[in-house]
Amino acid sequence: MSKTLYGSIIVTYRCNARCNMCDCFQFPTKPDEEISLKTIEKLPLMTFTNITGGEPFIRKDLGDIISIIRKKTKRIVISTNGFFSERIIDLFKTYPDLGIRISIEGLSKSNDTIRGIKDGFDNGLRTLLSLSDMGIKDIGFGMTVQDMNAHDLLPLYYLSNHLDMEFATATLHNSFYFRKTDNDIQDPEKLTRVFELLINNLLKSRSVKKWFRAYFNHGLINYIHKNQRLLPCDMGRNGFFLDPYGDVLPCNGMIEKISMGNLNTQTWDEIWNSEKAKIVREAVKNCGRNCWMIGSAAPAMRDKLWMPVKWVIQHKLKGKYEWKKC
């Protein structure tokens, strides 16, 4: 088993949002078929765990889930649309060491149009500010950049920076997880220009963490231009996803779901060391989708640390970043 295992736990496919880039809300799980606390107890030790959905705060037993997982991992970050403010605040009163990324897809008009939640921007920002007032440290925005909101990328970054909050980025992907096959960037050059500005801002920061975020965003430009990913994907070895049905998956980026086994009926070791897992890992090794999402890019960056380090040094010395094909 990898010494730095990254886990992503999809606790539900139920969602109150109607995002234009994700149709999981059209295929919700039923509460009685979602992974139980007993199944979650079977998870291995992890370096980092992301709790996601759907909308995780729809599950009323999320606090019980966190209670189990925090004993198995060094750090937990919850991805949410921030709508259920009271539930979020109550959870963080109990577990102030958690992290959270609230998905905000730009400023008010862009966010509410893309997410399909009335007053979603205001509600999400209010939740973040409330958590900040409580002294919660690991908080921030998460933005999926597309043609509709590219113009808001820099303003949203400046807002997060002003509030001293984290700023996570992604771009459009198609997969079984998103239930989408028609997500597409219409104007790659427009997105390239705004990502270049973001990357240069990150590189000018005094934060080493932001320098590596610059590299991650460089990888997003690379993905938008449909190039081979910057680092080889090793999902199924250094990372995994557990879906609401109990299936252990290498990632959430494939067009068709590929399971290594089911944690409802098997132990972790039975799944992770199985012949089926070997077949899935070989499929990952030969996958040509070149996805660049934080769930698979972060463990790759950590495993091949010298590559982002070299890139950061080169661009810090150069003093300016401009996109060019690697």
Side-chain angles (χ1 to χ4, degrees), residues 10-27:
I10 310 167
V11 295
T12 182
Y13 281 133
R14 290 177 284 159
C15 191
N16 60 308
R18 299 293 181 265
C19 300
N20 72 337
M21 67 286 197
C22 177
D23 280 346
C24 85
F25 66 89
Q26 297 191 42
F27 305 91

Side-chain angles (χ1 to χ4, degrees), residues 149-191:
N149 63 1
H151 58 283
D152 283 345
L153 176 59
L154 262 293
L156 198 63
Y157 167 70
Y158 293 143
L159 177 59
S160 70
N161 212 33
H162 178 72
L163 296 172
D164 196 25
M165 295 181 184
E166 303 290 337
F167 187 66
T169 48
T171 193
L172 298 180
H173 285 73
N174 293 300
S175 75
F176 76 90
Y177 173 72
F178 299 108
R179 307 299 203 283
K180 295 282 284 188
T181 58
D182 59 353
N183 281 327
D184 189 40
I185 300 297
Q186 299 298 317
D187 190 348
E189 293 306 321
K190 178 172 74 173
L191 267 67

Side-chain angles (χ1 to χ4, degrees), residues 94-243:
T94 304
Y95 302 116
D97 58 338
L98 295 176
I100 190 168
R101 298 295 177 270
I102 294 184
S103 297
I104 296 181
E105 309 301 342
L107 301 182
S108 183
K109 183 179 179 181
S110 298
N111 177 80
D112 294 1
T113 300
I114 289 170
R115 289 244 149 214
I117 302 178
K118 188 177 184 297
D119 300 324
F121 175 85
D122 293 348
N123 197 73
L125 183 58
R126 189 178 297 111
T127 302
L128 285 169
L129 293 173
S130 296
L131 292 170
S132 181
D133 285 346
M134 290 166 57
I136 307 301
K137 302 298 184 185
D138 193 358
I139 59 177
F141 301 74
M143 180 182 184
T144 300
V145 185
Q146 55 179 289
D147 296 278
M148 287 178 63
N149 63 1
H151 58 283
D152 283 345
L153 176 59
L154 262 293
L156 198 63
Y157 167 70
Y158 293 143
L159 177 59
S160 70
N161 212 33
H162 178 72
L163 296 172
D164 196 25
M165 295 181 184
E166 303 290 337
F167 187 66
T169 48
T171 193
L172 298 180
H173 285 73
N174 293 300
S175 75
F176 76 90
Y177 173 72
F178 299 108
R179 307 299 203 283
K180 295 282 284 188
T181 58
D182 59 353
N183 281 327
D184 189 40
I185 300 297
Q186 299 298 317
D187 190 348
E189 293 306 321
K190 178 172 74 173
L191 267 67
T192 297
R193 289 192 296 271
V194 295
F195 271 121
E196 282 180 336
L197 293 170
L198 174 63
I199 289 167
N200 279 299
N201 271 275
L202 292 168
L203 286 170
K204 290 174 185 175
S205 166
R206 295 182 179 180
S207 166
V208 174
K209 188 174 184 179
K210 288 185 178 180
W211 300 347
F212 287 97
R213 281 222 185 94
Y215 177 83
F216 174 78
N217 282 279
H218 166 61
L220 287 176
I221 299 178
N222 187 66
Y223 171 76
I224 289 167
H225 285 272
K226 305 184 186 305
N227 296 322
Q228 184 175 348
R229 57 181 279 150
L230 300 180
L231 299 170
C233 180
D234 210 13
M235 292 298 286
R237 290 185 175 86
N238 57 13
F240 70 93
F241 280 72
L242 176 67
D243 82 355

Side-chain angles (χ1 to χ4, degrees), residues 63-111:
D64 297 324
I65 293 172
I66 296 298
S67 177
I68 294 169
I69 292 178
R70 67 196 307 268
K71 299 171 186 175
K72 297 174 175 288
T73 190
K74 294 180 180 179
R75 180 175 171 232
I76 298 174
V77 173
I78 305 173
S79 299
T80 171
N81 59 43
F83 182 82
F84 298 101
S85 299
E86 290 185 8
R87 296 182 193 178
I88 294 170
I89 289 167
D90 285 346
L91 182 67
F92 276 78
K93 284 178 180 176
T94 304
Y95 302 116
D97 58 338
L98 295 176
I100 190 168
R101 298 295 177 270
I102 294 184
S103 297
I104 296 181
E105 309 301 342
L107 301 182
S108 183
K109 183 179 179 181
S110 298
N111 177 80

Side-chain angles (χ1 to χ4, degrees), residues 182-317:
D182 59 353
N183 281 327
D184 189 40
I185 300 297
Q186 299 298 317
D187 190 348
E189 293 306 321
K190 178 172 74 173
L191 267 67
T192 297
R193 289 192 296 271
V194 295
F195 271 121
E196 282 180 336
L197 293 170
L198 174 63
I199 289 167
N200 279 299
N201 271 275
L202 292 168
L203 286 170
K204 290 174 185 175
S205 166
R206 295 182 179 180
S207 166
V208 174
K209 188 174 184 179
K210 288 185 178 180
W211 300 347
F212 287 97
R213 281 222 185 94
Y215 177 83
F216 174 78
N217 282 279
H218 166 61
L220 287 176
I221 299 178
N222 187 66
Y223 171 76
I224 289 167
H225 285 272
K226 305 184 186 305
N227 296 322
Q228 184 175 348
R229 57 181 279 150
L230 300 180
L231 299 170
C233 180
D234 210 13
M235 292 298 286
R237 290 185 175 86
N238 57 13
F240 70 93
F241 280 72
L242 176 67
D243 82 355
Y245 301 105
D247 284 314
V248 177
L249 317 172
C251 69
N252 65 340
M254 294 184 171
I255 289 295
E256 294 184 1
K257 173 178 165 179
I258 302 178
S259 175
M260 303 167 80
N262 192 283
L263 201 57
N264 291 326
T265 58
Q266 298 172 270
T267 67
W268 177 261
D269 287 342
E270 285 172 345
I271 295 169
W272 201 246
N273 300 317
S274 67
E275 288 301 314
K276 191 173 182 181
K278 291 179 183 177
I279 293 170
V280 169
R281 290 181 185 121
E282 193 64 23
V284 171
K285 184 178 178 181
N286 295 310
C287 176
R289 290 183 51 73
N290 295 316
C291 303
W292 192 256
M293 292 182 275
I294 196 63
S296 59
M301 287 171 63
R302 184 162 181 166
D303 285 354
K304 303 285 191 300
L305 185 60
W306 65 90
M307 295 180 72
V309 167
K310 179 182 177 181
W311 182 91
V312 167
I313 292 171
Q314 287 175 339
H315 287 85
K316 289 291 285 183
L317 291 173

